Amino acid sequence: MESNLPHPSLQLSFKEKRELRFKKICSHFDKVMLSPLICYQRINPKLFNSLSKAVTDYIDESKKYGFQNKTPNGLLVPKQEIEDQFNNVVIAYRDILLSLNFSKIISLWSIPVVRYKDALISPENKERPMRSELPHSDTWVGWDKNSILINIPTLGDADGNRVNYFSHPKDMDETWIQKLHSFEEGAIKFANKCTPIKPHYKKGYIYIADISVIHQTHRDVGSKDRVSVEIPM
């Protein structure tokens, strides 16, 4: 006789479904869980050193052109003049992902971005509604809802100039991952309901989060510049 009870998965909340999905993703590699939607893993030192060198070379070349390729949020956009250096960053980043068996779970890869976060927020960025200093989810700017967020602190002051992550309340629902007009709008609607997670943001580690996870750039007083490699995918 067929049961009239709904399938157990249909009884899960939106948040529980995201957590179950993320748990399956993380089952492909060793990790430490910061929350049910965030984890981190130590990178093979040889692979991390290759990434650090490639990023250093890329930054040095960007400096030669006066950081003309830097956006207000600190992204160092690849340009023709520094194409070779950026290709080396992509190769080193790819090798790190392959070392964690990501090829088994990723359907679409995106090239990473190098983000240079100055010790102080720039005046031009202070009032921008999409500044990464505001708590935000990358879905709010239109990234695919099935993505995960990769972040690798690479150079500089990763302790004082870091990314802070937040945990979500139980009533998190589909509205949390809709595209919004600004991070300011999301901060009012959603971020105030979240709880900061004890910081763990160190060079030599890769941080992986569900795309719904709210996070922000945070600077302690007296912090210095920081560089990271990151991308949703």
Side-chain angles (χ1 to χ4, degrees), residues 14 17-19 21-22 25 36-39 137-139 145-149 168 172 177 208-215:
F14 175 80
K17 290 177 182 177
R18 300 295 295 194
E19 292 174 350
R21 170 183 173 270
F22 191 71
I25 291 172
L37 290 173
I38 312 164
C39 69
S137 162
D138 285 19
T139 58
K145 299 171 186 177
N146 290 317
S147 301
I148 55 177
L149 179 63
H168 299 77
M172 170 192 179
I177 56 173
I208 303 140
D210 184 76
I211 197 68
S212 66
V213 168
I214 290 178
H215 57 285

Side-chain angles (χ1 to χ4, degrees), residues 137-195:
S137 162
D138 285 19
T139 58
W140 298 352
V141 292
W143 278 97
D144 190 280
K145 299 171 186 177
N146 290 317
S147 301
I148 55 177
L149 179 63
I150 303 294
N151 192 294
I152 306 175
T154 311
L155 303 171
D157 185 7
D159 290 322
N161 186 348
R162 63 181 180 268
V163 174
N164 279 349
Y165 296 98
F166 296 80
S167 60
H168 299 77
K170 291 182 179 180
D171 63 354
M172 170 192 179
D173 58 26
E174 185 78 27
T175 62
W176 284 63
I177 56 173
Q178 304 301 320
K179 188 174 181 179
L180 299 177
H181 292 100
S182 70
F183 291 166
E184 293 171 338
E185 178 186 357
I188 295 171
K189 287 184 176 180
F190 306 113
N192 290 332
K193 301 177 182 179
C194 295
T195 305

Side-chain angles (χ1 to χ4, degrees), residues 11-21:
Q11 301 177 44
L12 297 177
S13 68
F14 175 80
K15 182 172 181 285
E16 289 170 334
K17 290 177 182 177
R18 300 295 295 194
E19 292 174 350
L20 180 60
R21 170 183 173 270

Side-chain angles (χ1 to χ4, degrees), residues 67-118:
F67 279 132
Q68 296 180 43
N69 60 326
K70 188 167 74 168
T71 72
N73 257 337
L75 299 185
L76 297 182
V77 181
K79 299 290 185 180
Q80 181 179 352
E81 294 81 0
I82 51 176
E83 186 177 88
D84 290 342
Q85 290 77 13
F86 183 72
N87 285 342
N88 290 334
V89 172
V90 174
I91 291 168
Y93 167 81
R94 177 207 62 188
D95 290 345
I96 289 172
L97 294 191
L98 291 178
S99 75
L100 299 179
N101 297 315
F102 268 99
S103 59
K104 297 179 180 179
I105 57 175
I106 299 301
S107 61
L108 179 64
W109 293 55
S110 300
I111 60 172
V113 297
V114 176
R115 191 185 296 273
Y116 190 110
K117 277 297 183 182
D118 293 296

Side-chain angles (χ1 to χ4, degrees), residues 112-128:
V113 297
V114 176
R115 191 185 296 273
Y116 190 110
K117 277 297 183 182
D118 293 296
L120 298 173
I121 185 172
S122 63
E124 63 182 317
N125 200 31
K126 274 187 176 181
E127 303 302 323
R128 291 181 70 252

